[in-house]
């Protein structure tokens, strides 16, 4: 069964707007939550990651918000740019676990 | 450094044919993974190798076998391909199981089974 649920499936945002993608998980043993970015024809690449000991992590225009009690985390892309158009995957794992559990992905289109 | 490399980039098979997907990494990573990506399904783990000499099943192992040839190389074999195995296959590597390390992905192999 899908251990990480991601929404929305697709998202269209105007240039300069805020893109928000949400994920939820059930397994309370998860303690590592990365976001991957994938461009067409390429493999996924790590964008930003968070551990549950903090509620927010920011790197440039990208921010992860984490709500441990709700078992939810989200990616915010500020000042979205056409170059951000890609598929975004959230994931979760145990820090010492063996593999990432991925959400189904969100296709983001940023219009000029 | 080339990172994670995969061959071939594209492959078309007929049902029942066999083939091996190759993966190599030059980052001296201990752990390696094979995922498949299908539309609307995200990435699902097929097999992984925690370290040289070990392999374990992931979420969707049926119809596949793997070999960790050495620390650098991890191959995925389809013994008798089926149309349900049409997918994009990604290999990934990671420094090790412990800690919170990034998984690095290869560029993928797009496989079509007719």
């Amino acid at each position: 069964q899908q251990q990480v649920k991601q929404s929305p499936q697709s998202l269209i945002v105007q240039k300069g707007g805020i893109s928000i993608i949400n994920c939820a998980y059930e397994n309370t043993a998860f303690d590592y939550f990365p976001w991957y970015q994938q461009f067409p024809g390429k493999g996924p690449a790590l964008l930003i990651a968070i551990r549950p000991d903090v509620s927010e992590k920011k790197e440039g225009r990208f921010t992860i918000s984490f709500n441990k009690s709700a078992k939810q985390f989200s990616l915010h892309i500020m000042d979205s740019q056409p170059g951000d158009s890609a598929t975004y995957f959230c994931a979760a794992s145990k820090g010492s676990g063996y593999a990432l559990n991925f959400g189904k992905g969100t296709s983001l289109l940023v219009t000029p | 450094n080339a990172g994670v490399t995969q061959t071939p980039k594209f492959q078309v098979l007929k049902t029942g044919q066999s083939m091996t997907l190759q993966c190599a990494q030059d980052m001296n990573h201990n752990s390696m993974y094979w995922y498949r990506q299908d539309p609307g399904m995200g990435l699902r783990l097929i097999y992984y190798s925690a370290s040289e000499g070990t392999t374990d099943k992931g979420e969707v192992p049926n119809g596949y076998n793997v070999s960790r040839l050495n620390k650098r190389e991890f191959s995925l074999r389809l013994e008798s391909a089926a149309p349900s195995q049409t997918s994009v296959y990604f290999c990934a590597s990671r420094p090790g199981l412990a800690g919170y390390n990034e998984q690095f992905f290869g560029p993928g192999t797009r496989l079509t089974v007719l």
Side-chain angles (χ1 to χ4, degrees), chain B residues 23-48:
Chain B
C23 173
Q25 53 89 11
D26 62 1
M27 297 175 282
N28 200 35
H29 286 173
N30 288 309
S31 302
M32 298 185 73
Y33 309 81
W34 276 106
Y35 293 89
R36 62 177 289 174
Q37 183 177 27
D38 302 292
M41 295 296 293
L43 290 98
R44 293 181 292 170
L45 183 67
I46 305 171
Y47 271 92
Y48 66 94

Side-chain angles (χ1 to χ4, degrees), chain B residues 3-100:
Chain B
V4 179
T5 57
Q6 293 183 236
T7 56
K9 293 190 187 314
F10 302 93
Q11 184 71 49
V12 178
L13 293 178
K14 295 181 180 178
T15 297
Q17 287 186 317
S18 62
M19 79 160 295
T20 300
L21 282 65
Q22 306 287 350
C23 173
Q25 53 89 11
D26 62 1
M27 297 175 282
N28 200 35
H29 286 173
N30 288 309
S31 302
M32 298 185 73
Y33 309 81
W34 276 106
Y35 293 89
R36 62 177 289 174
Q37 183 177 27
D38 302 292
M41 295 296 293
L43 290 98
R44 293 181 292 170
L45 183 67
I46 305 171
Y47 271 92
Y48 66 94
S49 171
S51 60
E52 186 178 355
T54 69
T55 61
D56 282 288
K57 296 178 181 179
E59 180 185 355
V60 289
N62 291 345
Y64 305 95
N65 285 300
V66 291
S67 296
R68 184 74 182 267
L69 305 170
N70 48 56
K71 191 172 185 179
R72 290 186 64 250
E73 298 172 289
F74 188 38
S75 63
L76 179 71
R77 182 160 179 85
L78 287 72
E79 290 291 352
S80 179
S84 60
Q85 294 178 305
T86 293
S87 188
V88 181
Y89 292 85
F90 288 101
C91 177
S93 71
R94 185 180 184 218
L97 287 180
Y100 302 92

Side-chain angles (χ1 to χ4, degrees), chain A residues 18-98:
Chain A
I18 302 173
S19 303
I20 302 174
I21 305 171
N22 301 300
C23 286
Y25 64 98
E26 288 297 325
N27 190 341
T28 56
F30 289 153
D31 62 356
Y32 175 63
F33 302 91
W35 284 89
Y36 278 78
Q37 180 188 55
Q38 184 181 30
F39 292 104
K42 304 292 186 182
L46 181 68
L47 185 63
I48 186 172
I50 197 169
R51 291 184 56 194
D53 51 349
V54 296
S55 60
E56 185 176 281
K57 182 174 181 179
K58 184 176 181 179
E59 291 185 0
R61 296 184 293 109
F62 301 91
T63 300
I64 299 179
S65 297
F66 186 83
N67 185 329
K68 188 174 182 178
S69 60
K71 292 185 286 186
Q72 294 176 347
F73 58 110
S74 60
L75 176 69
H76 292 64
I77 306 175
M78 311 300 289
D79 187 27
S80 298
Q81 299 296 313
D84 296 330
S85 297
T87 301
Y88 293 81
F89 293 96
C90 62
S93 72
K94 302 175 190 180
S96 57
Y98 302 116

